[in-house]
Amino acid sequence: MLDAMLSGLSQLAQIQHLMYLAIGVGLGLIVGILPGLGGIVGLSLLLPFIYGMDQISALAMLIGLVAVIPTSDTFTSVLMGIPGSSASQATVLDGFPLAKKGQAARALAAAFSASLLGGLVGAAVLTGFVLIARPVILAFGSAELFMLSILGLSMVGVLAGHSLPKGIAAAGLGLLLGGLGAAPATGELRMSLDSVYLMDGIPLVIVGLGVFAFPEIIDLCRQNRSIAEAGKLGSGWLTGIRDMIRYRWLCLRCAGLGSLVGTIPGLGGAVVDWIAYGHVVQSSKDKSQFGKGDIRGVLAPESANNAKEGGGLVPTLLFGIPGSGGMAVFLGGMVLVGLETGPAMIGRNLDITYAIIWSLAIANVLGAGASLLISPAVARLTTIPYGYLAPFMVMVICFAAFQATRSLGDLLALLVIGILGVLMKRFGWSRPAFLIGFVLAANAETYLYQAVQFYGFEFLLRPGVLIILAITVLSVWLGSRRRPENPVENAEEEGSRAKNLMPQIAFTGLIFLIAAFGFWDSLQHTFLGSVFTGSISAVIMAVSALLLWKFLSGKHSDPANYDHEVEAGLRDDPTVVSLSHYVLWIAGLVAGTALVGFFISVVVFFLFFLRLKAGASWLRAVLLTAAAISGLLLLAHTLVLDLPGGLLQDALRLPWPLG
Amino acid sequence: MSWKSIKTVGRQAGAIAVATAALVTAYASPALAADFSGKRVELIMPFQEGGGTDTWGRFWVPHLSKHLPGNPSVVVRNIPGGGSTTGANQFEARARPDGLTLLGTSASTHFPYLLNDRRVRFEAKDWEVILGSPTGGVVFVRPELGVQSAADMGKLRGQSLKYGSQGATSLDLVPLLAFDIMGLNVDAVFGMQGRGAGRLAFERGEVNIDYQTSSAYINNVKPLIEANQAVPLFSWGMLDSNGNIVRDPSFPDLPSFPEAYEMAFGEKPSGPAWEAYKSFFIAGFPAQKMLVLPKGTPSEIVEAYRAAATAAINDPAFQENREAALGEYEQVVGKPAEVMMEQAFSVSEESRNWVRNWLTEKYSVQF
């Protein structure tokens, strides 16, 4: 084993390999900064170049890219409230409020130092763990994986916000949306309205962008100022690093957690950051600042998500089972350079395994260092008036969305989920709870069904299941401990109580109707195909009926009564346009795409937005549009991606990029 | 005239034009042969990046570029969705027969076509095949079942077997049909994310019968067999040049599925279930992945591609890494590929209906 370690190290230490590693890191930084473009995009950009490279160089380059994305995607999460990739969704919750307070530099420095620590701990854990990982992974059968999904869902308790019923309904809605498409047990198509797009289910990246990025863009547009409220950055570099050192045990715990959860195939890396976030909230005495800019809310997910990438390598190398889309492409890369995965990776090819693991560590150091260096410059984005930033953001999230299946359906789904996200934000329905429900829906349903098939209901008595159950109970209990009374916060809450309950009644009624549709749909299917969505729908219907009853009977003081329009004073502010105004702008872009294709629509959108909303001169508007569109086309061309077409493109064959 | 019929007429006109052009060039000198200098060729990949077929396509890309006349750049365009029907439909609707657009198919593309899935808007039979990449597979069971080899498979009948599957209409249709023909009592547990997940369930003892395609079997299951944690039964077999299913050359010690059937029942398999099985087996394994050009592509372009594929296969640079990406089998190019495609896509109406009914009755699949 020592031989393999040394051999791995000496192979890696060659200057040529390090150079390729640095190339991967560089590309990863760029791809990671663009929101929504994760490892899949970056890796597929690199794949054409690895042909003919030697194995270690090729792997070092791919690893450099994989390792650095959860670091660099933090930029948009913190600075713009847009999750850079599914690994950074939880970072948004506290990172973005910090940026709004003008503490972007502190939050970024804390995030990058936590990423660095997470990546190094991850690699250290893996060095030993990879040797004993096989039996550990095999110990997690369908029953244990089901219980792990339940543990993940229990995090909803701490993320529910002020009203637990609304949190439960939000998580239920996420589960229901996750159940859309083919039923895992029978392949029956649920709630898909006979649309080929919906049959495949809605891609995670679109749901993430819809519920987090879309509402933030709308809000920032309405307020039309820079992201940092004072228009200043503030210093705080060193503060951020000191924060990490101060909470080092938290970071170490989350890093360990991240690398182990990442190891378990089938759970999906997408929940690691939420589990870490839930963990920090549960284990903190003073919870009052979470969601409003608590630095621990940035440190926990960031140290976990970097460690996760290393963990995700284990099932990929040992079993050939990729834990995520990015890992699937990495596996493809391994095959292209002639490496086959399997037990040999801890036997005859152990040196390659170690070279991969340590590439990961080096890449983390390079990536976090580079991110720290460029962060003051990138953080300046938060001082730009949002009218100029908004069209870029809209274009980027649309581009990220149609990465998913490259069709107009992606944009429509983004719009619909985005509107849902806007309303959830306005009425205080927990969006993290919704997202966790969505992410875990397929796991919970599939593994429950498989566990019952394999073990019957006795699966609940398996030792692994009981242990995870005990952890779940403990974590719910920890999370439900009463938090200390905070008079300031209580006063804030009073301010958010709406006098007019009609908008909330309408929204809750809409949720009830969606659940009713889900329930009706479940009646059309066999027992195995319907039991999951049917039960979830019934729960949502019951909870939303309860909420409706509260609203209809005029209980203004109930914690469920929340209206952001009232809280933020937006309703009475004559300088702020209505909530629907910018939603209609984006809807116009999507409608335009359906008619004349994305390319023409986005050009028109850019010109008019910059002229009318940002107040740019025509010349300036044209120049900025040209710059943005060239960037878009360059990316689309390199990625061999057609921009979605509309009716015009159906009727006529137009030259690229028009067609 | 409706839009659709305008399109059809347009396509027919196009086809006539192409046919004329083909006729003209056929008589012309070889100087007019296909040349792709400065062109960009797109390989449409109806799957997400990563995964078996995408990797297979990406393996071929640099070799095609190197050996095609004029060395065009060849790029992969991923169009995922609809279980690969979305990409294939777009290829059918948009690709021109000029050799600049290819499609990579896999069993996930072939099966919906054979089953008359309503999402399918393409006529696979009309495609011009460049090459086919076969794969095989081996069925194995847990040692607790008390079976040593295919010879005592009788012991399996009556035992309750579990198989981890991706879905009844996926490539798993072939093993599920095979188990049924064998008279085995196999419960399929669905929802597996790929064959790897099924193998993991097997290693955990959650399921007790499984199969893996050849390279996964060699890399991941052979170590289990050596550790007495799995017992191999039979391979699916491979096609010989006459279209018969014979022993898989990668596993000469294992009987093929028809042999195993004969060992168990004392006669060769026959009947409607067997006929149906054969069509889907060929479309799923010997013809698992294919590289095709659109209908009506002029023959000199098709031939240029076939020549490039043949040249690539004989290139030492190709042989070096091929096993990881392409598996153990000889690539099938040109005429033999045509024969294989013909066999894969010409399912009889009777067999088709038999499988559709079987899927509906046994696995409540709605068409």
Side-chain angles (χ1 to χ4, degrees):
Chain A
M1 191 188 103
L2 209 60
D3 287 353
M5 283 187 172
L6 289 175
S7 150
L9 199 60
S10 67
Q11 291 192 37
L12 192 59
Q14 290 174 27
I15 191 76
Q16 178 199 9
H17 298 154
L18 290 175
M19 215 177 65
Y20 279 112
L21 182 79
I23 293 176
V25 169
L27 186 70
L29 281 174
I30 298 169
V31 174
I33 287 177
L34 295 171
L37 302 188
I40 299 183
V41 171
L43 287 168
S44 36
L45 280 174
L46 282 186
L47 280 188
F49 298 103
I50 67 169
Y51 171 70
M53 278 170 69
D54 74 279
Q55 290 181 340
I56 302 287
S57 296
L59 291 176
M61 187 167 79
L62 297 178
I63 282 289
L65 186 127
V66 173
V68 76
I69 281 176
T71 309
S72 60
D73 66 2
T74 309
F75 279 113
T76 53
S77 304
V78 169
L79 298 178
M80 288 159 203
I82 297 178
S85 76
S86 60
S88 284
Q89 281 162 346
T91 312
V92 173
L93 292 192
D94 281 293
F96 189 51
L98 281 167
K100 283 202 214 166
K101 287 183 191 168
Q103 298 186 23
R106 175 190 173 200
L108 286 176
F112 295 137
S113 44
S115 291
L116 173 64
L117 184 76
L120 291 178
V121 170
V125 169
L126 279 179
T127 297
F129 183 68
V130 69
L131 297 170
I132 54 159
R134 261 189 89 82
V136 175
I137 289 176
L138 288 174
F140 282 90
S142 49
E144 289 77 17
L145 289 172
F146 169 68
M147 273 321 291
L148 279 175
S149 320
I150 297 296
L151 174 63
L153 280 173
S154 76
M155 296 297 166
V156 167
V158 291
L159 296 168
H162 298 307
S163 158
L164 190 61
K166 276 158 84 176
I168 292 174
L173 204 61
L175 284 165
L176 190 62
L177 187 71
L180 191 137
T186 61
E188 286 164 281
L189 297 170
R190 299 181 299 204
M191 301 177 281
S192 58
L193 305 168
D194 220 30
S195 134
V196 174
Y197 183 82
L198 292 180
M199 286 174 192
D200 291 340
I202 306 218
L204 171 62
V205 55
I206 291 180
V207 176
L209 290 172
V211 294
F212 285 113
F214 194 100
E216 292 312 333
I217 291 177
I218 300 290
D219 255 25
L220 290 166
C221 282
R222 291 174 74 196
Q223 296 167 21
N224 197 15
R225 50 167 181 74
S226 59
I227 292 172
E229 269 152 25
K232 282 192 306 236
L233 276 176
S235 57
W237 246 57
L238 285 175
T239 325
I241 297 174
R242 254 184 257 126
D243 284 324
M244 193 280 284
I245 297 172
R246 184 167 157 215
Y247 295 111
R248 58 190 174 279
W249 294 115
L250 170 73
C251 295
L252 285 174
R253 276 204 310 276
C254 290
L257 189 83
S259 73
L260 294 181
V261 173
T263 310
I264 303 165
L267 194 63
V271 285
V272 168
D273 54 332
W274 291 112
I275 293 181
Y277 190 83
H279 168 71
V280 65
V281 177
Q282 282 164 347
S283 59
S284 301
K285 283 210 184 70
D286 177 12
K287 308 184 203 300
S288 61
Q289 291 308 305
F290 282 109
K292 296 173 190 158
D294 191 315
I295 196 74
R296 290 172 297 178
V298 175
L299 291 169
E302 284 303 311
S303 41
N305 68 13
N306 268 61
K308 175 206 81 181
E309 292 304 319
L313 275 171
V314 175
T316 314
L317 296 178
L318 263 54
F319 293 92
I321 297 174
S324 64
M327 275 297 147
V329 185
F330 177 73
L331 186 64
M334 286 187 66
V335 168
L336 287 179
V337 294
L339 265 178
E340 291 180 81
T341 53
M345 293 305 290
I346 47 171
R348 139 180 119 246
N349 290 338
L350 189 61
D351 55 336
I352 295 181
T353 303
Y354 279 124
I356 290 177
I357 291 176
W358 294 331
S359 297
L360 196 72
I362 300 174
N364 268 301
V365 176
L366 288 178
S371 298
L372 269 174
L373 281 180
I374 58 172
S375 64
V378 181
R380 299 182 73 87
L381 284 176
T382 55
T383 60
I384 296 175
Y386 203 70
Y388 279 101
L389 218 47
F392 286 91
M393 289 298 109
V394 171
M395 181 177 87
V396 164
I397 66 166
C398 287
F399 187 78
F402 65 64
Q403 281 295 311
T405 73
R406 290 101 206 261
S407 71
L408 181 64
D410 292 325
L411 291 186
L412 284 170
L414 178 68
L415 181 66
V416 172
I417 308 267
I419 293 172
L420 183 69
V422 166
L423 294 172
M424 288 179 79
K425 183 176 182 199
R426 170 170 174 184
F427 298 122
W429 289 58
S430 167
R431 291 173 289 158
F434 175 80
L435 199 74
I436 290 187
F438 178 80
V439 170
L440 289 174
N443 284 337
E445 182 180 11
T446 309
Y447 293 130
L448 176 60
Y449 150 76
Q450 290 183 349
V452 173
Q453 295 287 312
F454 291 144
Y455 308 104
F457 278 98
E458 289 93 75
F459 84 83
L460 287 168
L461 300 174
R462 289 168 62 85
V465 172
L466 290 174
I467 294 170
I468 304 171
L469 183 67
I471 298 175
T472 309
V473 171
L474 184 73
S475 109
V476 170
W477 176 74
L478 281 174
S480 63
R481 282 181 309 176
R482 278 191 70 80
R483 50 183 178 184
E485 291 292 325
N486 181 338
V488 180
E489 198 185 337
N490 285 351
E492 259 175 39
E493 273 181 41
E494 285 310 315
S496 66
R497 305 271 184 263
K499 301 281 181 295
N500 176 8
L501 293 177
M502 267 328 280
Q504 297 191 61
I505 291 173
F507 181 67
T508 314
L510 174 73
I511 301 295
F512 182 87
L513 288 179
I514 293 175
F517 167 70
F519 192 77
W520 171 82
D521 180 84
S522 74
L523 297 176
Q524 324 293 313
H525 301 296
T526 60
F527 173 76
L528 280 178
S530 66
V531 59
F532 180 78
T533 53
S535 329
I536 299 285
S537 302
V539 171
I540 309 174
M541 279 159 73
V543 176
S544 51
L546 171 80
L547 288 166
L548 273 178
W549 172 76
K550 279 184 180 178
F551 294 142
L552 286 170
S553 55
K555 290 197 189 318
H556 288 272
S557 62
D558 193 274
N561 176 5
Y562 177 94
D563 192 332
H564 185 68
E565 293 292 290
V566 178
E567 185 201 23
L570 297 173
R571 165 135 310 173
D572 312 317
D573 186 343
T575 62
V576 173
V577 294
S578 76
L579 190 56
S580 55
H581 182 88
Y582 286 97
V583 174
L584 287 173
W585 268 87
I586 301 181
L589 174 64
V590 176
T593 305
L595 289 174
V596 295
F598 186 73
F599 178 75
I600 299 176
S601 311
V602 82
V603 170
V604 173
F605 178 85
F606 245 88
L607 285 173
F608 281 89
F609 198 100
L610 288 170
R611 179 81 189 107
L612 299 177
K613 293 298 166 184
S617 66
W618 277 117
L619 177 68
R620 201 167 186 180
V622 168
L623 287 177
L624 282 171
T625 305
I629 301 295
S630 346
L632 175 78
L633 292 183
L634 181 71
L635 202 56
H637 184 78
T638 2
L639 284 172
V640 198
L641 186 85
D642 267 337
L643 301 175
L647 290 176
L648 177 69
Q649 281 77 7
D650 285 344
L652 291 173
R653 209 185 260 269
L654 296 170
W656 193 84
L658 290 171
Chain B
M1 205 189 242
S2 76
W3 175 238
K4 208 169 176 185
S5 54
I6 293 179
K7 249 181 160 169
T8 326
V9 170
R11 233 186 258 159
Q12 280 165 352
I16 293 167
V18 166
T20 322
L23 217 63
V24 171
T25 42
Y27 286 102
S29 67
L32 272 174
D35 182 22
F36 298 102
S37 311
K39 296 276 172 52
R40 171 157 129 151
V41 172
E42 288 186 359
L43 165 58
I44 293 188
M45 182 52 63
F47 300 92
Q48 193 67 261
E49 290 89 343
T53 307
D54 181 60
T55 306
W56 164 85
R58 285 174 193 272
F59 182 84
W60 272 106
V61 157
H63 297 290
L64 288 176
S65 169
K66 182 173 170 190
H67 293 283
L68 276 171
N71 306 102
S73 66
V74 183
V75 294
V76 178
R77 180 190 291 281
N78 296 80
I79 309 179
S84 91
T85 56
T86 308
N89 287 343
Q90 282 199 25
F91 170 79
E92 186 85 351
R94 298 204 194 141
R96 293 184 222 203
D98 53 8
L100 297 184
T101 315
L102 327 170
L103 175 71
T105 72
S106 91
S108 329
T109 328
H110 308 161
F111 283 14
Y113 171 78
L114 293 179
L115 290 168
N116 264 357
D117 187 300
R118 61 200 161 92
R119 291 173 298 184
V120 169
R121 311 240 186 292
F122 55 83
E123 186 51 76
K125 252 193 250 181
D126 295 344
W127 292 336
E128 302 290 344
V129 62
I130 301 164
L131 63 95
S133 292
T135 187
V138 177
V139 176
F140 47 92
V141 292
R142 300 272 313 178
E144 296 89 81
L145 295 170
V147 181
Q148 305 297 319
S149 71
D152 47 10
M153 269 223 320
K155 287 190 202 157
L156 282 183
R157 256 173 268 143
Q159 296 206 54
S160 147
L161 301 174
K162 286 201 169 82
Y163 173 75
S165 166
Q166 282 174 272
T169 54
S170 71
L171 185 56
D172 280 337
L173 175 58
V174 171
L176 293 175
L177 265 172
F179 298 150
D180 204 50
I181 292 172
M182 248 338 170
L184 300 178
N185 176 20
V186 176
D187 265 334
V189 177
F190 295 109
M192 293 290 163
Q193 303 284 328
R195 290 279 62 240
R199 190 179 69 239
L200 221 53
F202 178 88
E203 287 193 51
R204 291 185 189 116
E206 293 184 326
V207 301
N208 47 19
I209 186 165
D210 191 40
Y211 99 89
Q212 295 288 317
T213 51
S214 303
S215 45
Y217 175 81
I218 292 167
N219 287 307
N220 290 292
V221 184
K222 281 218 164 143
L224 296 179
I225 293 169
E226 281 151 23
N228 273 333
Q229 288 165 1
V231 179
L233 293 181
F234 53 84
S235 76
W236 298 128
M238 211 14 79
L239 280 190
D240 69 7
S241 49
N242 303 318
N244 298 313
I245 304 178
V246 295
R247 228 171 237 226
D248 188 326
S250 300
F251 311 106
D253 300 336
L254 288 175
S256 68
F257 172 61
E259 282 179 81
Y261 182 93
E262 217 176 323
M263 287 158 82
F265 294 96
E267 57 176 9
K268 288 196 187 313
S270 60
W274 170 249
E275 289 307 316
Y277 168 85
K278 241 170 49 186
S279 305
F280 282 86
F281 164 70
I282 294 170
F285 289 89
Q288 187 180 56
K289 299 188 199 309
M290 289 194 278
L291 210 50
V292 300
L293 287 159
K295 175 187 182 178
T297 304
S299 63
E300 77 270 13
I301 292 182
V302 179
E303 287 313 322
Y305 269 96
R306 290 176 176 176
T310 311
I313 292 169
N314 296 322
D315 185 341
F318 178 94
Q319 292 296 338
E320 201 178 330
N321 284 336
R322 56 156 287 187
E323 246 181 52
L326 303 181
E328 319 298 313
Y329 302 88
E330 287 302 316
Q331 305 299 298
V332 186
V333 186
K335 273 281 172 258
E338 260 175 52
V339 174
M340 201 165 76
M341 185 169 104
E342 169 69 22
Q343 278 186 304
F345 290 148
S346 58
V347 65
S348 73
E349 203 52 32
E350 202 187 340
S351 292
R352 185 202 316 277
N353 288 331
W354 190 93
V355 174
R356 281 170 66 112
N357 285 336
W358 180 81
L359 280 168
T360 306
E361 272 166 33
K362 194 150 181 188
Y363 297 107
S364 31
V365 175
Q366 301 300 320
F367 287 98

